[in-house]
Amino acid sequence: MSTLTFEGVSLEYGTSGAIPVLDAINLGIRSDEFVAVIGRSGSGKTSLLNLAAGFLTPSKGRIAIDGTPVTKPGADRAVVFQDDALYPWLDARDNIAFPLRLRGTPEAERHRIADQLLAHVGLPGAGDKKIWELSGGMRQRVGIARALASKPQFLLLDEPLGALDALTREKLQSFLLNVWAESGAGVMLITHSIEEALFLGTRIVVLSPNPGRIAADIPVSFGRALLAGEQARTIKKYPEFQTLHDTLTDLIHDTRMDNAA
């Protein structure tokens, strides 16, 4: 089992009069966990993900996977953005196969893997479709399939469902849970939705803003109930779901934490 760790990680933007973004983050994410990160604007959620991806370098501290420092993007971490970031000149199959192409995988093999992944994300037979022929939800499925093509140890998801309508978003929440359960990859999800964090996470990390600090790290199990076949509308009625939703709302909007040391 792999672990992605943040050890005393701080981040500042700028060289003179630096702006603190994250402060003293200590966090571990195992490859069997689905960690949802929530917080107000200014809490550094996306910056935390960009650090994990290797797009940014911490000002202090260290990020590592199984003790090996993260210094740049790598195949052990795959990122999915709110904007699907697909290549419009490629069809669905070749979008998924693109990372395999970069690794020198022969065309027949990468197309075979891409078709398997299309079936895995619920789009069998869609390989020849152009990107503009796909709905928003279908494009996100293709983006997630592309992320899975490299068999990453960790999936880093930056509001991947944020631009979708409510019904599609609810369907893809269950889809994401199944992808996590079947892929063996650990997940870090950035989301503004408390409900989404409750549905998907095995842990919820709450960041307080200015600069971002961990205000709470709470284990949850509603996603496992969804995977076991429980209906979302039933889970929403659980007293513990409502209580934890209220607790997280209070934590996120507690301005006393904004400048706490």
Side-chain angles (χ1 to χ4, degrees):
M1 183 180 300
S2 295
T3 305
L4 170 66
T5 56
F6 296 77
E7 302 169 2
V9 169
S10 297
L11 178 68
E12 296 179 345
Y13 286 154
T15 52
S16 58
I19 300 171
V21 179
L22 293 165
D23 181 50
I25 300 295
N26 292 292
L27 178 66
I29 301 173
R30 300 192 313 268
S31 55
D32 64 343
E33 292 186 301
F34 196 124
V35 176
V37 181
I38 60 176
R40 298 209 316 268
S41 295
S43 60
K45 300 184 298 296
T46 295
S47 293
L48 189 71
L49 181 139
N50 286 335
L51 285 164
F55 300 150
L56 296 175
T57 301
S59 304
K60 296 179 182 178
R62 187 178 86 133
I63 303 165
I65 295 178
D66 298 333
T68 301
V70 169
T71 58
K72 60 183 180 180
D76 52 0
R77 288 148 288 134
V79 184
V80 179
F81 301 99
Q82 179 173 333
D83 178 352
D84 55 64
L86 298 175
Y87 303 123
W89 59 89
L90 299 177
D91 60 23
R93 179 183 296 109
D94 283 334
N95 263 281
I96 295 169
F98 190 77
L100 301 174
R101 178 182 175 184
L102 293 179
R103 290 164 55 181
T105 304
E107 182 178 26
E109 176 66 7
R110 64 179 185 256
H111 282 181
R112 182 189 67 80
I113 293 171
D115 285 338
Q116 284 184 339
L117 287 168
L118 278 166
H120 179 63
V121 300
L123 296 174
D128 294 326
K129 287 189 175 294
K130 302 300 182 183
I131 297 309
W132 60 83
E133 296 179 289
L134 304 175
S135 68
M138 293 170 72
R139 289 197 298 270
Q140 281 300 64
R141 287 174 185 254
V142 171
I144 291 167
R146 183 174 65 185
L148 293 172
S150 297
K151 297 184 177 179
Q153 293 171 274
F154 293 92
L155 281 172
L156 309 176
L157 310 178
D158 190 6
E159 287 276 355
L161 311 182
L164 303 177
D165 63 85
L167 182 59
T168 303
R169 184 169 185 156
E170 184 173 307
K171 289 180 179 178
L172 286 190
Q173 286 171 353
S174 296
F175 161 73
L176 280 178
L177 274 176
N178 282 291
V179 165
W180 163 69
E182 295 171 8
S183 70
V187 173
M188 175 194 282
L189 168 72
I190 306 302
T191 180
H192 285 90
S193 169
I194 294 174
E195 185 174 279
E196 185 165 274
L198 285 167
F199 275 138
L200 298 181
T202 59
R203 287 164 57 201
I204 298 176
V205 172
V206 182
L207 294 181
S208 60
N210 304 318
R213 300 182 176 96
I214 294 178
D217 189 339
I218 302 170
V220 289
S221 59
F222 303 111
R224 297 190 188 278
L226 275 172
L227 283 172
E230 190 66 89
Q231 295 296 311
R233 60 180 176 272
T234 302
I235 293 172
K236 289 179 185 180
K237 296 176 183 177
Y238 289 176
E240 56 268 36
F241 186 95
Q242 294 294 335
T243 298
L244 193 48
H245 192 289
D246 292 343
T247 298
L248 291 168
T249 300
D250 291 342
L251 275 170
I252 290 172
H253 295 288
D254 186 354
T255 57
R256 293 174 300 175
M257 297 188 302
D258 288 5
N259 297 299

